[in-house]
Amino acid sequence: MTAGKTEIDTLVVGAGQAGVAMSEHLSKLAIPHLVLERNRIAEAWRSGRWDSLVANGPAWHDRFPGLEFDDLSPDGFAPKERVADYFEAYARKFKAPIRTGVDVRKVERNVGRPGFTVETSEGVIEANRVVVATGPFQHPVIPAIAPKEERLTQLHSAQYRNPQQLPEGAVLVVGAGSSGTQIADELQRAGKQVYLSVGQHDRPPRAYRNRDFCWWLGVLGEWDQAAMKPGREHVTIAVSGAHGGRTVDFRELAQRGMKLVGVTRGFNDGVVTFQPDLADNLARGDENYLAVLDAADAYIERNGLDLPLEPAARRVFPDPECVSTPILELDLAKAGITTVIWATGFATDYSWLKIDAFDAKGKPLHQRGVSTESGIYFLGLPWQSRRGSSFIWGVWHDAKYVADHIAIQRTYLEYRDAAQRQAAQTVAPVSATLGHPVVTA
């Protein structure tokens, strides 16, 4: 791209896993398109994650259908750099029209004519359609309760890289989803005293009876759930592919010396307080874990599968002291806490989209990625069409649906009525006599 104006049928914003998948399906349908990325392809996997991160699903599962991880065991967990390299290789495989280093600054609907005007750092683009593939992990969120204490080092999980970047002293990790749990475990293994603030969560088994939990959720139909169950909107999932993949067990972490606390309530004069909900949160996580085991056992029996029994999977560690006698407040200085890591999620920013496609809370209004604003599409959203939408393979299938919708709309717009067809037939011979190509409808 150069400064000036470019015209394209479909513009895709973002070249992470969603943008690459979108480009593949548009290419297969011969739909002219362009993908813009402000950084590098799959940049979030390289610079938006900690050093030791690996994929949370095994290589046979966390990939697109058209390319395998040829240097990994199917049951292995790909390191983050390898995942980024995978998407770059995938884009090269079908010569994806991706332009990196281009920032999209504003998208506006045209008035009195179709499509959108898109302002970028490299000029203006006129596009009939825009696919927003920027994903849900755009801006780290640190809650308002974060203390204003200069002596504390405070990081969001997106800024954490490794234990060596932290000062001496204990660490409070707020948030026990996959990111918070894995970071807390890594810090504990590095010799840090870690306090982990645990809220409501699901914690499926990493594997059970020789099958990974991704397989179980697949055959049990869990990935195809079309909507989140009421009341589960703020429940995180604690799962990990680290160290070859292990089931997250908070009591086991506590047995190794980690201090578990409930949901972080607030900070005041160097003291942090916690909700008295730790035992309840752990119990609900246990219920989810055991429900998966029960469903798996029933599936095996119902289908007569020859998979080995695994009674040890139902072993429960005794409640550690931090559960039976919960910590409700901590003096940060006395506890030696010098760092707080906020594993508290992300927010989206669609301020550059000057269109009417959002609800009162700023969330996209869409059906399976097809926006209520004609010509605008979203891709890479959690629960976009099903529970599995957040996974790499789920994004690929969502992209196919969106691309098919675009192709159908193009077919409608190519329709010509009888008068238009007649006019075209009249113009064609005249154009031919003038030495121009024959125009057909």
Side-chain angles (χ1 to χ4, degrees):
M1 289 181 59
T2 56
K5 183 176 289 188
T6 301
E7 295 183 358
I8 195 69
D9 182 274
T10 300
L11 178 68
V12 181
V13 182
Q17 58 200 44
V20 171
M22 191 74 240
S23 182
E24 178 187 9
H25 290 297
L26 292 173
S27 296
K28 287 180 178 178
L29 294 169
I31 297 175
H33 68 283
L34 180 64
V35 184
L36 299 185
E37 168 57 50
R38 68 172 57 170
N39 297 304
R40 296 175 291 177
I41 294 173
E43 180 66 24
W45 280 96
R46 297 192 188 280
S47 59
R49 307 288 198 274
W50 61 95
D51 295 346
S52 65
L53 177 74
V54 299
N56 280 336
W60 67 262
H61 185 265
D62 276 15
R63 65 176 180 86
F64 290 160
L67 184 67
E68 296 183 359
F69 287 91
D70 56 6
D71 56 342
L72 291 174
S73 163
D75 298 313
F77 299 89
K80 68 183 186 74
E81 290 287 345
R82 181 65 184 88
V83 175
D85 290 343
Y86 173 90
F87 289 122
E88 287 191 341
Y90 203 93
R92 290 194 300 269
K93 185 172 180 285
F94 62 93
K95 297 180 175 63
I98 297 174
R99 302 289 183 269
T100 58
V102 182
D103 188 21
V104 175
R105 295 171 176 168
K106 184 166 69 171
V107 174
E108 287 185 305
R109 178 174 286 285
N110 295 327
V111 178
R113 57 191 176 93
F116 303 87
T117 295
V118 183
E119 295 181 9
T120 81
S121 58
E122 297 291 332
V124 175
I125 297 176
E126 296 288 341
N128 294 329
R129 280 158 284 273
V130 176
V131 180
V132 181
T134 50
F137 306 119
Q138 296 173 24
H139 292 282
V141 171
I142 295 180
I145 63 171
K148 306 296 190 294
E149 297 187 31
E150 294 184 0
R151 70 175 183 270
L152 269 180
T153 296
Q154 297 189 66
L155 303 172
H156 190 273
S157 58
Q159 301 166 310
Y160 171 78
R161 293 295 172 266
N162 54 62
Q164 290 70 43
Q165 83 182 108
L166 304 186
E168 293 292 325
V171 182
L172 169 63
V173 179
V174 181
S178 293
S179 295
T181 302
Q182 291 179 49
I183 291 171
D185 181 47
E186 176 172 271
L187 292 172
Q188 184 185 51
R189 290 170 184 266
K192 293 279 191 182
Q193 174 62 66
V194 178
Y195 294 82
L196 177 61
S197 179
V198 181
Q200 294 186 43
H201 61 273
D202 287 345
R203 60 171 200 97
R206 172 71 270 173
Y208 180 58
R209 298 184 70 171
N210 280 3
R211 294 292 185 270
D212 189 85
F213 98 95
C214 291
W215 189 89
W216 282 119
L217 267 59
V219 299
L220 294 172
E222 293 291 323
W223 290 134
D224 294 324
Q225 288 182 23
M228 189 177 295
K229 296 175 182 177
R232 307 290 289 175
E233 294 84 356
H234 302 292
V235 176
T236 61
I237 182 169
V239 66
S240 174
H243 310 289
R246 299 181 60 171
T247 298
V248 172
D249 190 324
F250 292 105
R251 291 182 183 82
E252 180 187 16
L253 293 174
Q255 293 286 341
R256 287 165 32 199
M258 190 177 295
K259 302 293 186 183
L260 307 179
V261 293
V263 170
T264 302
R265 175 180 282 169
F267 294 79
N268 185 34
D269 291 334
V271 175
V272 56
T273 56
F274 306 101
Q275 301 279 9
D277 57 1
L278 176 60
D280 287 343
N281 294 336
L282 294 182
R284 291 174 184 173
D286 294 343
E287 288 176 7
N288 167 257
Y289 172 81
L290 293 172
V292 175
L293 301 192
D294 291 343
D297 287 341
Y299 181 89
I300 290 171
E301 183 176 359
R302 185 167 62 250
N303 291 279
L305 301 184
D306 184 19
L307 295 176
L309 293 171
E310 193 176 341
R314 294 180 181 273
R315 181 185 64 178
V316 177
F317 283 92
D319 281 345
E321 183 179 357
C322 60
V323 175
S324 57
T325 307
I327 301 169
L328 300 182
E329 68 175 36
L330 273 175
D331 184 301
L332 295 172
K334 290 182 179 178
I337 294 174
T338 58
T339 302
V340 178
I341 295 179
W342 297 94
T344 44
F346 295 79
T348 53
D349 178 10
Y350 297 114
S351 60
W352 51 279
L353 279 171
K354 308 300 182 181
I355 54 175
D356 185 19
F358 306 97
D359 65 15
K361 296 182 179 180
K363 293 184 177 180
L365 295 168
H366 70 96
Q367 178 67 34
R368 295 189 65 178
V370 180
S371 172
T372 55
E373 178 81 7
S374 177
I376 295 291
Y377 299 84
F378 293 92
L379 186 61
L381 301 177
W383 292 87
Q384 177 156 319
S385 67
R386 69 192 87 181
R387 179 178 177 177
S389 291
S390 297
F391 278 71
I392 292 171
W393 64 269
V395 168
W396 189 90
H397 288 286
D398 285 344
K400 184 179 187 306
Y401 179 87
V402 172
D404 287 342
H405 189 278
I406 291 173
I408 291 169
Q409 292 302 305
R410 280 166 52 87
T411 300
Y412 281 123
L413 294 175
E414 289 169 358
Y415 171 78
R416 299 293 182 267
D417 60 32
Q420 291 170 321
R421 293 194 297 270
Q422 180 63 39
Q425 291 173 355
T426 302
V427 171
V430 175
S431 298
T433 61
L434 295 176
H436 297 298
V438 176
V439 177
T440 57

